[in-house]
Structure formats: structure tokens, C-alpha cells
Amino acid sequence: MRLKARLQRELRFLRGLNRTLKRVKSISKESDNLVCDDIQAAMDAHRERRAITFEGRTVTYGELDAMANRYAHWAKGLNLRRGAVVALFMPNRLEYFAIWYGLSKVGVVTALINNQLAGLPLAHCLNISGAHHIIVDPETSPVFEQAKDLLERPLQQWILGPAHGGQRDLVQALKSCSQLPPDRSVREDMRAGDTALLIFTSGTTGMPKAARVTHMRAQLYMRGFAGSTGAKATDRIYITLPLYHATGGLCAVGAALLNGGSIVLRRKFSASHFWPEVVAEGCTMFVYIGELCRYLVNHEEVPEETAHKIRLAFGNGLRPDIWPVMKQRFRIPDILEFYGSTEGNVSLFNFDGREGAVGRVPKWLRKRFNIRLVQFDVDQETVVRGPSGFCIEAGVGQIGECIGKIGGDARAEYTGYLDRQASEKKILRDVFTRGDAWFATGDLMRMDADGYLYFVDRVGDTFRWKGENVSTNEVAERLQAAPGVAQATVYGVTVEGADGRAGMAALVVDPDFDIVQFGEHVARELPPYAQPLFVRILPAIDTTGTFKIRKVDLVADGYDPAKVKGPLFFHDPKKGYVKITKSVFEKLAAGEVKV
């Protein structure tokens, strides 16, 4: 690279880094300035500006704040004290952000529940949240009703709509609540290190875990993206991602609202409506996950895809093969890819747009970052330690696990999960010196000579599909409860033309096993992203001497009928599970089947 080009690259990186650090440098867990105080300041500064547009309705900053205040007073009226938890189980709605923002004003914690969950996983999240109240809408209320028998304690159900049975009408209850802000004295002893939200993540094993999002961490997300994106009051950000995830619900919301900009919120992503809505609403930015971008690229061309005002797309998981197509086909000037996890302390930004990279740690700024890559033994699923007992740093081009040093400033804090044991499992100790502690991301990466980092894969029994982490152990447990299933193991397989890995189940079954009945069980017990796309039937499942299932050979076989002996099925979205014939496999291998 020529000297001038290198200088331009470094300047662009520094500008982005400076914008971000400028917004987050004052954040401290000991501060009495909470995330709701940040948001309140924006509400007061931009009261007449439009804040959120949803399904044809637009509210101003002032109206949004008044809405949030009603929820704050509603919680006070129920005598919900600081630290109490309210579960929020809804799809994207105009009220979603206002609910948790309002509750945070009186110190109440909101548990953001994935609205795709049902049955046991839903009950598990509600049980571990500690909530005694749950807010639902007409779409999620029936799902909650079906899971009630699995709850460890009764939850009072508040519905944004007509109430039936044991429900209580939240719309009616809010009418008597004040629109004025609650007195700040209700949170005078609170600090930014206190919990603001619970966001649930699949983790690497078992059921979803509750990541504890403190006010400080929420501030890092919201302020960080208010700076990194360079968003202005004139920007309008299109959000189609679920608000129960940090990417859409904190990063994108912060980028807009902390800068006086506005949000166009959609209930859920639609490839066919994406560009027409972006154009109609005059959006200038949108937030993505990799799969969203692939859906856009795979969709047929529409006139609006180049008639928009988008100046920046930001998000994570954009794969190298889709990146240049996104920029060129849709004429997007800039893409800001980032890396981070809800519970972790590692954050990276690709400020200068290097295709395929999740971020950069330049040599000359290395000491300012808490990030390192260490050598990793994939077969043993553990970091490699040398004769001294310390970890060995991965070299240029070498794949290693990304880890983040714990301690120091707010960005390096690790808050972990509600489950202390689960939090401890993510900590590596005595990594480079005696007594040091590092957060293990569980992500394998490689770094090039310029300091760019590239995501390679997840460690362990988790794969990513449809924008969600899927735990193979959790899915296998649910499958083993299906009629006629004696044993089940689940793993991820690659599918041509799709990001991540799709679920595949290997089953040992009884003589009375029925694939149709199995499909009904899967649809009932698992959210769409966790439902196995492929199923194979085996006479027995091989295990090691320590009774660990040998998945390596199963993964190698994949879903090729030429390699797999015995029945093999593919989940057709219209027909359910159908047998994989040679012609079906050839279509899958050619990327001709929509999955």
C-alpha cells in the first residue's frame, strides 16, 4: 500500500475511534449518571423532533418521554422497588423502548424476552429472570398462556390490548398514570454499575442465559454507537432487527436518539418491503446482521434499491462474499462492521471498511486495546498453554480464540450472567501473568499484518443460524422428548448460499417413529431458528471412551445421500420433512433452495 493510502486509512480509523472514545470516556460504574439520564437529556433537548415511526404512526421525543413516564409511574403504583424485575415479552412495537426506558427511571430492571421463544425455553427465561410481572401483547399472550404450567411461580400478566381471564389491561392502567418524569430521588443511591436490563443469550451450552446489562454497559452501547456511526440529528435509522437484542435495541436506538435523529421501526424484517420503506421514509442509515444482508442480495432487484438516501449501513456478521455485492449493487457509500457480545468486554470496529474484517487493532495502538488472540486446540476445545503454564499468543494469520482483559476502564468491565457459575466459566485466569483475568469470547479469529481481525468460527457446541446462536445440547434435549426418539444429537452443517450453519439432527428411533409427528413436535417445541433443517436416522450413535458423542464424522457426512446410509430428510417450508433424493441434494448444493 502506498504511503498516501496508508495515511488516509490511519486517519479514517483515528477519526472513527476518536468519535467513539469521546462519547464513552466519561462512563464509570461508580457514576450516579444512569442510562435513563442520558436518554432524558436527549428527550429534553429535542422534544419537538420526531423520534420513532412505526406502522404509520410517529411520536416526537416529548411524546415518547411522556409514554415512558407513564410506565415509570405504573411501576411505582405497583410498589415495584429498585432492582425488581419486569419481563417484556413482545415483538417490536412503538411502546417497546418506552417501556424499559420508563422502568429504568424508577430503578426497575426489564428482562427482554425473545418473542420467538415458547414452551420450556420461554418458561426457563422467565423463571431465572426473577420477574413477578410480565408485559405482553395480543400476539405473545397466547404463547405465554401455553407456558404458564412450566413456571416456578405465578406471573401477573399485563396485556397491551383487551384483557381476558387472569390478564390485566395495561392500556387502561396507564391512563391514570402521570406523564411527568418521576422524581429523580427514587434512584438517588443508584450507580451505573447497577443492573438496567437482562438480555438473554444462548451461550455455548444448555438453555438461554441471562446476561446482566448494567446502566454502564447500556451507556457504552448507546453512546458508543452514537459516536462510531457519526450519526446526526438529520439522520433517520431503519431498524428491522428485534429490540430484545443489543444490536437493534441499544446500538441502533442509541445512534439515533442520543443524537436527535429518528428511528423507523418495523415489526420484523421483510426483504420485499425493505428498500421501498427505506425510500418512502427517507432513511439515511440501517442496522444489519449478516443474514439480513444475504436476504437482500438474494432478493430480486427493485427500483428503490438504488434510489435511496442511505449513507451508512452498520452491524455485524457481514460475510466477505456478500460485502462487495452490498456496496456495489445497492450503492451504499459506507459500511461499519463491528464485533461484540452482550455479556462480554470485547468490542471492535472496522472504521475504515476493510472488506471481511470485524475490526482492527493497529500495532501502534495495541496497548490501548484489551484484546488478544491466543492459540486454541479445537479438538480439546481449550486454549493452548506453554511450558510456563501461560497462554501462547496467536501469530499473524494464525487462528486463535479472541479474549478480552478484565479490569481497567468501563470498556473492559465484565458483568457476565445472573448465573455466577456460568459467568466464571467464561473467565480465563493466569493468561499472560499470574493473577490476570480475561474474558473468553468463544470466537475463533485470525489477524493479518495490518491488525485487521477476521471472524472464523464459534468454539464448542453452538452454531449461528438466522441471526441466533443455537445450542446443540438444548435442541437435542427437546428432540429426545419427541415420540419415538430414543437418542438425538445435533450439529451444524453449511448450506450453499446461506450464512452460518444450519441445524442437523442424527436420531436413533423406535419402530413406531413417525417423521410427520416428529415435525409437529419440532414446530411446537422449538423456535424457527433452532428447528433442524436436516434429519438423518441411525441404528446407533458412536461415542468416545468417555461417552462423548463423536460428531466429527457426522458433520463430514453432512446431508449428501451418497455418503449417508439410512433415511435422510430435509425440512421443506411448505411440506414439512421430506426425503432427500439425489435431485433435492443437487438443488441444495447449488444454492437453489431457499432455507
Coordinates of all heavy atoms in Angstrom, one line a residue, residues 505-547:
A505 N -30.0 -33.0 12.7 CA -30.1 -33.9 13.8 C -29.9 -35.3 13.4 O -30.4 -35.7 12.3 CB -31.6 -33.8 14.4
A506 N -29.2 -36.1 14.1 CA -29.0 -37.5 13.9 C -29.8 -38.2 15.0 O -29.6 -38.0 16.2 CB -27.5 -37.9 14.0
L507 N -30.7 -39.1 14.6 CA -31.6 -39.7 15.6 C -31.5 -41.3 15.6 O -31.3 -41.9 14.5 CB -33.1 -39.4 15.3 CG -33.4 -37.9 15.1 CD1 -34.9 -37.8 14.7 CD2 -33.2 -37.1 16.3
V508 N -31.6 -41.8 16.7 CA -31.8 -43.3 16.9 C -33.3 -43.4 17.3 O -33.7 -42.8 18.3 CB -30.9 -43.9 18.0 CG1 -31.2 -45.4 18.1 CG2 -29.4 -43.7 17.6
V509 N -34.1 -44.2 16.5 CA -35.5 -44.1 16.8 C -36.1 -45.5 17.0 O -35.5 -46.5 16.7 CB -36.2 -43.5 15.5 CG1 -35.8 -42.1 15.3 CG2 -36.0 -44.3 14.3
D510 N -37.3 -45.5 17.6 CA -38.0 -46.7 17.9 C -38.8 -47.1 16.6 O -39.0 -46.3 15.7 CB -39.0 -46.5 19.0 CG -38.4 -46.1 20.3 OD1 -37.2 -46.6 20.5 OD2 -38.9 -45.3 21.1
P511 N -39.3 -48.4 16.5 CA -40.0 -48.8 15.3 C -41.2 -48.0 15.0 O -41.6 -47.9 13.8 CB -40.4 -50.3 15.7 CG -39.4 -50.7 16.7 CD -39.1 -49.5 17.5
D512 N -41.9 -47.4 16.0 CA -43.1 -46.6 15.8 C -42.8 -45.1 15.5 O -43.8 -44.3 15.5 CB -44.0 -46.7 17.0 CG -43.4 -46.2 18.3 OD1 -42.2 -45.9 18.3 OD2 -44.1 -46.0 19.3
F513 N -41.6 -44.8 15.2 CA -41.2 -43.4 14.9 C -42.0 -42.9 13.6 O -42.0 -43.6 12.6 CB -39.7 -43.2 14.7 CG -39.3 -41.8 14.3 CD1 -39.2 -40.8 15.2 CD2 -39.0 -41.6 13.0 CE1 -38.8 -39.5 14.8 CE2 -38.6 -40.3 12.5 CZ -38.5 -39.3 13.5
D514 N -42.5 -41.7 13.7 CA -43.2 -41.1 12.6 C -42.7 -39.7 12.3 O -42.7 -38.8 13.1 CB -44.7 -41.0 12.9 CG -45.6 -40.4 11.8 OD1 -45.0 -39.9 10.8 OD2 -46.8 -40.5 11.9
I515 N -42.1 -39.5 11.1 CA -41.4 -38.3 10.7 C -42.4 -37.1 10.7 O -42.1 -36.0 11.1 CB -40.7 -38.3 9.4 CG1 -39.8 -37.1 9.2 CG2 -41.7 -38.5 8.2 CD1 -38.6 -37.0 10.2
V516 N -43.7 -37.3 10.4 CA -44.7 -36.3 10.4 C -45.0 -35.8 11.8 O -45.0 -34.6 12.2 CB -46.0 -36.7 9.7 CG1 -47.1 -35.6 9.9 CG2 -45.7 -37.0 8.3
Q517 N -45.1 -36.8 12.7 CA -45.4 -36.5 14.1 C -44.1 -35.8 14.7 O -44.3 -34.9 15.6 CB -45.7 -37.8 14.9 CG -46.2 -37.6 16.3 CD -46.6 -38.9 16.9 OE1 -46.1 -40.0 16.5 NE2 -47.4 -38.8 18.0
F518 N -43.0 -36.2 14.3 CA -41.7 -35.6 14.8 C -41.7 -34.1 14.3 O -41.3 -33.2 15.1 CB -40.5 -36.3 14.2 CG -39.2 -35.7 14.5 CD1 -38.6 -35.9 15.7 CD2 -38.6 -34.9 13.5 CE1 -37.3 -35.2 16.0 CE2 -37.4 -34.3 13.8 CZ -36.7 -34.5 15.0
G519 N -42.1 -33.8 13.1 CA -42.1 -32.5 12.6 C -43.1 -31.6 13.4 O -42.8 -30.4 13.6
E520 N -44.2 -32.1 13.8 CA -45.1 -31.4 14.6 C -44.6 -31.1 16.0 O -44.8 -30.0 16.5 CB -46.4 -32.2 14.7 CG -47.2 -32.3 13.4 CD -48.3 -33.4 13.5 OE1 -48.4 -34.1 14.6 OE2 -49.1 -33.5 12.6
H521 N -43.8 -32.0 16.5 CA -43.2 -31.8 17.8 C -42.1 -30.7 17.7 O -42.0 -29.8 18.6 CB -42.5 -33.1 18.3 CG -41.7 -33.0 19.5 ND1 -42.2 -33.1 20.8 CD2 -40.4 -32.7 19.7 CE1 -41.3 -32.9 21.7 NE2 -40.1 -32.7 21.1
V522 N -41.3 -30.7 16.7 CA -40.3 -29.7 16.4 C -40.9 -28.3 16.3 O -40.4 -27.4 16.9 CB -39.5 -30.1 15.2 CG1 -38.6 -28.9 14.7 CG2 -38.6 -31.3 15.4
A523 N -42.0 -28.2 15.5 CA -42.6 -26.9 15.3 C -43.2 -26.4 16.6 O -43.2 -25.2 16.9 CB -43.7 -27.1 14.3
R524 N -43.6 -27.3 17.5 CA -44.3 -26.9 18.7 C -43.3 -26.5 19.8 O -43.5 -25.6 20.6 CB -45.2 -28.0 19.2 CG -46.0 -27.7 20.5 CD -47.0 -28.8 20.7 NE -46.4 -30.1 20.9 CZ -46.5 -31.1 20.1 NH1 -47.2 -31.0 19.0 NH2 -45.9 -32.3 20.3
E525 N -42.1 -27.2 19.9 CA -41.2 -27.1 21.0 C -40.0 -26.2 20.7 O -39.3 -25.8 21.7 CB -40.7 -28.5 21.3 CG -41.7 -29.5 21.9 CD -42.2 -29.0 23.2 OE1 -41.4 -28.5 24.0 OE2 -43.4 -29.2 23.5
L526 N -39.7 -25.8 19.5 CA -38.5 -25.1 19.2 C -38.8 -23.8 18.4 O -39.7 -23.9 17.5 CB -37.5 -25.9 18.4 CG -36.8 -27.1 19.2 CD1 -36.1 -28.0 18.3 CD2 -35.8 -26.5 20.2
P527 N -38.1 -22.7 18.6 CA -38.3 -21.5 17.8 C -37.8 -21.8 16.4 O -36.9 -22.7 16.2 CB -37.4 -20.5 18.5 CG -36.5 -21.2 19.3 CD -37.2 -22.5 19.7
P528 N -38.2 -21.1 15.4 CA -37.9 -21.4 14.0 C -36.4 -21.6 13.7 O -35.9 -22.5 13.0 CB -38.5 -20.3 13.2 CG -39.6 -19.8 14.0 CD -39.2 -20.0 15.4
Y529 N -35.6 -20.7 14.3 CA -34.1 -20.7 14.0 C -33.4 -21.9 14.6 O -32.4 -22.3 14.2 CB -33.4 -19.4 14.6 CG -33.5 -19.2 16.0 CD1 -32.6 -19.9 16.9 CD2 -34.5 -18.4 16.6 CE1 -32.7 -19.7 18.3 CE2 -34.6 -18.2 18.0 CZ -33.7 -18.9 18.8 OH -33.8 -18.7 20.2
A530 N -34.1 -22.6 15.6 CA -33.4 -23.8 16.3 C -34.0 -25.1 15.7 O -33.5 -26.2 16.1 CB -33.7 -23.7 17.8
Q531 N -34.9 -25.0 14.8 CA -35.5 -26.3 14.3 C -34.5 -26.9 13.3 O -34.1 -26.2 12.3 CB -36.9 -26.0 13.6 CG -37.9 -25.5 14.6 CD -39.2 -25.0 13.9 OE1 -39.4 -25.2 12.7 NE2 -40.1 -24.4 14.7
P532 N -34.2 -28.2 13.4 CA -33.2 -28.8 12.5 C -33.7 -28.7 11.0 O -34.9 -29.1 10.8 CB -33.2 -30.3 13.0 CG -33.6 -30.2 14.4 CD -34.6 -29.1 14.5
L533 N -32.9 -28.3 10.2 CA -33.2 -28.3 8.7 C -33.1 -29.7 8.1 O -33.8 -30.0 7.2 CB -32.3 -27.3 8.0 CG -32.7 -26.9 6.6 CD1 -34.0 -26.1 6.6 CD2 -31.6 -26.0 6.0
F534 N -32.2 -30.5 8.7 CA -31.9 -31.8 8.2 C -32.0 -32.8 9.3 O -31.7 -32.5 10.5 CB -30.5 -31.9 7.6 CG -30.2 -30.9 6.5 CD1 -29.5 -29.8 6.8 CD2 -30.7 -31.1 5.2 CE1 -29.3 -28.8 5.8 CE2 -30.5 -30.2 4.2 CZ -29.8 -29.0 4.5
V535 N -32.5 -34.0 9.0 CA -32.6 -35.1 9.9 C -32.1 -36.4 9.3 O -32.4 -36.7 8.1 CB -34.1 -35.3 10.4 CG1 -34.2 -36.6 11.3 CG2 -34.5 -34.1 11.2
R536 N -31.3 -37.2 10.0 CA -30.9 -38.5 9.5 C -31.2 -39.5 10.6 O -31.1 -39.2 11.8 CB -29.4 -38.5 9.1 CG -28.4 -38.4 10.2 CD -27.0 -38.4 9.8 NE -26.6 -39.8 9.3 CZ -25.3 -40.1 9.0 NH1 -24.4 -39.2 9.0 NH2 -25.1 -41.3 8.5
I537 N -31.5 -40.7 10.2 CA -31.8 -41.8 11.1 C -30.6 -42.8 11.1 O -30.2 -43.2 10.1 CB -33.1 -42.5 10.7 CG1 -34.2 -41.6 10.4 CG2 -33.5 -43.6 11.7 CD1 -34.6 -40.7 11.6
L538 N -30.2 -43.1 12.3 CA -29.0 -44.0 12.5 C -29.4 -45.2 13.4 O -30.3 -45.1 14.3 CB -27.9 -43.3 13.2 CG -27.2 -42.1 12.5 CD1 -26.3 -41.4 13.4 CD2 -26.4 -42.7 11.3
P539 N -28.8 -46.4 13.2 CA -29.0 -47.5 14.1 C -28.4 -47.3 15.4 O -29.0 -47.8 16.4 CB -28.4 -48.7 13.3 CG -27.3 -48.0 12.4 CD -27.9 -46.7 12.0
A540 N -27.3 -46.5 15.5 CA -26.7 -46.2 16.8 C -25.8 -45.0 16.6 O -25.4 -44.6 15.5 CB -25.8 -47.4 17.3
I541 N -25.5 -44.2 17.7 CA -24.6 -43.1 17.6 C -23.3 -43.4 18.3 O -23.3 -43.8 19.4 CB -25.3 -41.9 18.3 CG1 -26.6 -41.5 17.5 CG2 -24.3 -40.7 18.4 CD1 -27.3 -40.3 18.2
D542 N -22.2 -43.2 17.5 CA -20.9 -43.5 18.1 C -20.5 -42.6 19.2 O -20.8 -41.4 19.1 CB -19.8 -43.4 16.9 CG -20.0 -44.5 15.9 OD1 -20.5 -45.6 16.3 OD2 -19.5 -44.4 14.8
T543 N -19.9 -43.1 20.2 CA -19.4 -42.3 21.3 C -17.9 -42.6 21.6 O -17.4 -43.7 21.2 CB -20.2 -42.5 22.6 OG1 -20.1 -43.9 23.0 CG2 -21.6 -42.1 22.4
T544 N -17.2 -41.7 22.3 CA -15.8 -42.0 22.6 C -15.8 -42.8 23.9 O -16.8 -43.1 24.5 CB -15.1 -40.6 22.9 OG1 -15.7 -40.0 24.1 CG2 -15.3 -39.7 21.7
G545 N -14.6 -43.0 24.4 CA -14.4 -43.8 25.6 C -15.0 -43.1 26.8 O -15.3 -43.8 27.9
T546 N -15.1 -41.8 26.8 CA -15.7 -41.0 27.9 C -17.2 -40.7 27.6 O -17.7 -39.8 28.2 CB -14.9 -39.7 28.1 OG1 -14.8 -39.0 26.9 CG2 -13.5 -40.0 28.6
F547 N -17.7 -41.4 26.6 CA -19.2 -41.3 26.3 C -19.6 -40.0 25.7 O -20.7 -39.6 25.7 CB -20.1 -41.6 27.6 CG -19.8 -42.9 28.2 CD1 -19.0 -43.0 29.3 CD2 -20.2 -44.1 27.6 CE1 -18.7 -44.3 29.9 CE2 -20.0 -45.3 28.1 CZ -19.2 -45.4 29.3

